[in-house]
Amino acid sequence: MNAELPEAYRVAVSSDDGGPATVFEHLWTPYRMAYIRGEGKPTGAHDCPFCVIPTMSDEDGLIVARGTTVFAVLNLYPYNAGHLMLVPYRHVPDYTDLTAEEVAELGKFTQAAMRTVRAVSGAHGFNIGMNQGSVAGAGIADHLHQHAVPRWGGDTNFMPVVGLTRVLPQVLRETRSLLAQAWAYAAASLREA
């Protein structure tokens, strides 16, 4: 199909004359290019997104819930719909740098994130984890954050495996609103119990 596109929209693929690139459609996810290029990644403590986000409104920062030492925020570049990050307010790079209070609240927020996403979207499972250091894959290595990625049976299909594209069925602001409402409801129910 690429041959039908105007030259300005064609994607050059080296050493692929008549190969796979000539038969595959390209689905564009231009929002990912900012991440790939490193736009918005911190250059120092003064511009760390995980330090800046708590100073924003919940809606603008995509914050789902705030705790005493930890907050939950939607990932701006999600692997799946509902991909949350659980982040300590304190700017520390390593899990071993957390206080006992921060570790406890991080654990509680992880459980709350799983319960909330399950209630809202019926997730079948989760990938929970953190990459410690840039060598381990941390995109923002200087500020610890834990990922909670919801998974569904069959979510690894043609699109991510062959198409190398994730399909997100909802804009982040709508996802944030649903999760924040469900999180608040669950928290209120626990306090009443």
Side-chain angles (χ1 to χ4, degrees), residues 69-148:
T69 64
V70 174
F71 65 98
V73 62
L74 279 177
N75 190 326
L76 191 56
Y77 305 105
Y79 292 114
N80 264 346
H83 178 169
L84 288 168
M85 292 183 295
L86 311 158
V87 187
Y89 292 109
R90 209 162 53 91
H91 186 92
V92 296
D94 199 84
Y95 187 71
T96 60
D97 295 328
L98 295 179
T99 66
E101 181 184 15
E102 289 166 329
V103 169
E105 191 168 41
L106 182 65
K108 288 178 185 176
F109 264 56
T110 301
Q111 290 178 326
M114 293 173 67
R115 288 183 185 113
T116 301
V117 172
R118 275 194 189 117
V120 169
S121 69
H124 299 144
F126 290 86
N127 291 118
I128 304 290
M130 56 181 87
N131 302 321
Q132 296 286 264
S134 57
V135 70
I140 300 174
D142 289 340
H143 197 135
L144 175 78
H145 54 285
Q146 179 171 273
H147 296 265

Side-chain angles (χ1 to χ4, degrees), residues 27 43 56 59-60 62 72 78-79 105 110 124 133 143 163:
L27 299 176
T43 58
M56 304 166 78
E59 292 77 16
D60 289 340
L62 298 175
Y79 292 114
E105 191 168 41
T110 301
H124 299 144
H143 197 135

Side-chain angles (χ1 to χ4, degrees), residues 140-165:
I140 300 174
D142 289 340
H143 197 135
L144 175 78
H145 54 285
Q146 179 171 273
H147 296 265
V149 182
R151 301 299 304 270
W152 293 267
D155 69 3
T156 301
N157 56 25
F158 164 83
M159 293 302 286
V161 174
V162 177
L164 300 175
T165 302

